[in-house]
Amino acid sequence: MSEGDSVGELIHGKPSVVAGFFTRVGQVYQSWLDKSTPFYAVRWAVTLLLTAVYMIRVYILQGWYIVTYALGIYHLNLFIAFLSPKVDPSLLDEDEGPSLPTKQNEEFRPFIRRLPEFKFWHSATKGIVIAMICTFFDAFNVPVFWPILVMYFIMLFCITMKRQIKHMIKYRYLPFTHGKTKYKET
């Protein structure tokens, strides 16, 4: 067997048809992901469209609130990772690894996200697709009083964002390029 083959992929020395099919599907999927990389506006527009379709489906069906709540929590978790630096300055000692500048005279270091934009988009879109698939199964339609979930999510969002904004202010990092100082070339 070659290095990349697993025991289940080979039957009598030949690659199985199922393994070959899924390998090919994975390659086509990765090819489409690679082609979509430079088109961030189109990618996010498609994700927003999927979100709208999902919300309309949940509204029309009047159910699957737990799935929607779980999707909201998942997206909040992704958003926090997107806003956070790859290396958390609160966990670093002064001698250990790269850090964000905290004083005016310190050297500029670029902001590197813990979750890059493409992975954020890809994970958010996969989450929406999985939530959409869940709405086709009654097992996921758990009866709940949805206003409590909405209030709890709003409260969780506010507390989490307050903590994240305080962290951003304390360690002086801005995860967006809008509003940052721009220097002229000399």
Side-chain angles (χ1 to χ4, degrees):
M1 272 199 268
S2 67
E3 194 174 301
D5 294 333
S6 67
V7 175
E9 287 184 12
L10 293 179
I11 299 175
H12 304 293
K14 293 191 247 179
S16 71
V17 175
V18 175
F21 171 76
F22 283 112
T23 300
R24 181 67 187 138
V25 167
Q27 290 170 344
V28 170
Y29 178 71
Q30 188 62 48
S31 172
W32 279 101
L33 282 178
D34 293 342
K35 289 176 184 175
S36 72
T37 302
F39 305 106
Y40 63 90
V42 175
R43 287 188 282 118
W44 282 104
V46 168
T47 300
L48 289 175
L49 180 68
L50 278 173
T51 303
V53 168
Y54 173 77
M55 290 301 184
I56 290 169
R57 179 167 172 76
V58 167
Y59 178 76
I60 289 172
L61 295 176
Q62 293 292 309
W64 288 272
Y65 302 121
I66 288 289
V67 173
T68 306
Y69 177 72
L71 179 64
I73 295 295
Y74 180 65
H75 283 175
L76 178 62
N77 188 20
L78 290 174
F79 186 61
I80 293 300
F82 177 71
L83 292 178
S84 301
K86 186 173 186 174
V87 179
D88 190 355
S90 65
L91 301 177
L92 286 179
D93 292 335
E94 292 299 320
D95 308 336
E96 194 179 316
S99 64
L100 295 169
T102 55
K103 297 181 181 75
Q104 189 71 6
N105 60 354
E106 281 191 36
E107 176 185 347
F108 169 75
R109 292 186 182 99
F111 181 80
I112 301 171
R113 298 179 188 283
R114 185 166 24 132
L115 182 67
E117 182 270 335
F118 185 81
K119 288 183 179 180
F120 178 38
W121 165 79
H122 189 235
S123 297
T125 305
K126 282 192 304 187
I128 294 165
V129 169
I130 290 169
M132 183 81 76
I133 291 169
C134 288
T135 63
F136 289 99
F137 300 100
D138 281 330
F140 296 109
N141 190 9
V142 179
V144 293
F145 187 60
W146 66 266
I148 291 175
L149 289 179
V150 171
M151 291 305 297
Y152 186 65
F153 179 78
I154 291 170
M155 185 175 64
L156 186 65
F157 178 81
C158 292
I159 291 169
T160 306
M161 289 309 296
K162 179 181 175 185
R163 189 178 73 222
Q164 184 67 29
I165 291 169
K166 280 184 176 180
H167 191 269
M168 291 163 66
I169 291 170
K170 181 178 180 182
Y171 292 101
R172 297 179 178 216
Y173 64 91
L174 186 61
F176 304 107
T177 55
H178 179 70
K180 288 187 177 180
T181 306
K182 295 182 182 178
Y183 301 98
K184 295 180 183 178
E185 290 185 32
T186 56

